[in-house]
Amino acid sequence: MSNQLSLLLVRLPLLALFVGRWDWPLALAGLLAILVEGAARYALSEQWVFSRRGLTMWQPVVYWYNIHDILRLESEVILPELTHFATAEPLPRVDIQVRVDRHGTPSPQPGAIVYSEGLSRFGFGVAIMPGDYTEVVVSPALEKSPYALYKSILEPVLRWAFGQRGYALVYGGCFAWGEEATLVVPAQDKGKTEAVLTAVQSGARFLSDDFTILRGDGRVFSFPKPVTLTG
């Protein structure tokens, strides 16, 4: 159905123009009509979807993450690093919103922190806009690399947002015995995972491997992420 629709709306009028009015060779006119149709479909695909039901408005998939009711995130990009905090229910309010600018480089807004490689949709681009909630707008290229999006952009934003609320996202693993928690901070960026896993194997409760949320009164909150081991 979508091919028939595009044929009627784009290709046939172009063929009529190229051949009937400009008297171009049929083969050349057909090739150019296909190229123009492809470019039009590509442009429309950012806002519209071609399906068996016809042409429908494109709707982004939205993911929600609730970090101990301290920070709530809404994202158009899945964030594997925050899988533990994923929730299927829409959140009534959010503190951080991540969305993708389908047109390329995010547009700068007053007071925004903006960075762009100048490659539009094919490069690294981000605009961070604080306000009642923090809006993080990224270029389409970052949608394809959730890890780079998280490590390069979202993790620093999380650190700042936690700090604004009286918490700190500190680098270090953590395990607990009863109500007492132990924070493992490596001296040379190695050994913390092994130390945490050794304690867990001895009966301790696992809280975090890479980062831990620490409140000013000394209370810790788990921040589990996929565990990685280095040789």
Side-chain angles (χ1 to χ4, degrees):
M1 180 64 182
S2 62
N3 289 333
Q4 295 174 353
L5 180 63
S6 63
L7 177 64
L8 291 174
L9 294 181
V10 179
R11 201 181 303 176
L12 286 181
L14 287 174
L15 285 173
L17 176 65
F18 294 157
V19 177
R21 184 165 183 177
W22 293 346
D23 199 26
W24 287 7
L26 183 60
L28 176 61
L31 176 61
L32 288 177
I34 292 173
L35 291 175
V36 172
E37 176 197 351
R41 285 170 63 92
Y42 177 78
L44 284 172
S45 67
E46 296 303 319
Q47 299 296 332
W48 300 86
V49 176
F50 292 88
S51 67
R52 293 181 179 179
R53 297 180 179 179
L55 196 61
T56 58
M57 187 67 182
W58 180 86
Q59 295 292 336
V61 177
V62 178
Y63 306 90
W64 292 277
Y65 304 89
N66 186 351
I67 306 177
H68 297 296
D69 288 328
I70 304 171
L71 289 177
R72 300 169 178 84
L73 292 82
E74 176 185 294
S75 176
E76 292 182 4
V77 182
I78 191 169
L79 303 170
E81 301 293 308
L82 298 180
T83 297
H84 179 78
F85 303 106
T87 174
E89 296 296 326
L91 299 172
R93 68 173 182 84
V94 296
D95 304 294
I96 299 173
Q97 182 188 65
V98 181
R99 64 181 182 86
V100 181
D101 188 333
R102 303 285 162 186
H103 301 289
T105 302
S107 302
Q109 302 292 331
I113 302 170
V114 180
Y115 174 80
S116 173
E117 292 178 334
L119 299 176
S120 187
R121 61 183 300 107
F122 302 106
F124 187 109
V126 60
I128 302 172
M129 292 164 278
D132 294 336
Y133 64 94
T134 300
E135 186 177 10
V136 180
V137 186
V138 300
S139 59
L142 281 169
E143 182 182 19
K144 307 301 181 183
S145 182
Y147 180 78
L149 167 61
Y150 179 83
K151 292 298 293 184
S152 300
I153 299 172
L154 197 54
E155 189 174 282
V157 171
L158 286 175
R159 286 174 175 268
W160 171 81
F162 277 122
Q164 292 291 102
R165 291 159 176 78
Y167 297 81
L169 184 62
V170 299
Y171 180 63
C174 191
F175 60 88
W177 295 95
E179 297 299 318
E180 298 293 326
T182 299
L183 186 65
V184 182
V185 181
Q188 297 180 347
D189 197 26
K190 61 181 180 179
K192 61 178 173 53
T193 299
E194 290 80 356
V196 170
L197 292 180
T198 298
V200 170
Q201 290 171 352
S202 299
R205 180 160 50 96
F206 175 82
L207 292 180
S208 302
D209 166 55
D210 208 18
F211 286 91
T212 303
I213 303 170
L214 179 63
R215 199 166 66 183
D217 60 3
R219 184 178 179 185
V220 298
F221 297 82
S222 64
F223 197 78
K225 295 166 54 181
V227 175
T228 56
L229 295 173
T230 57

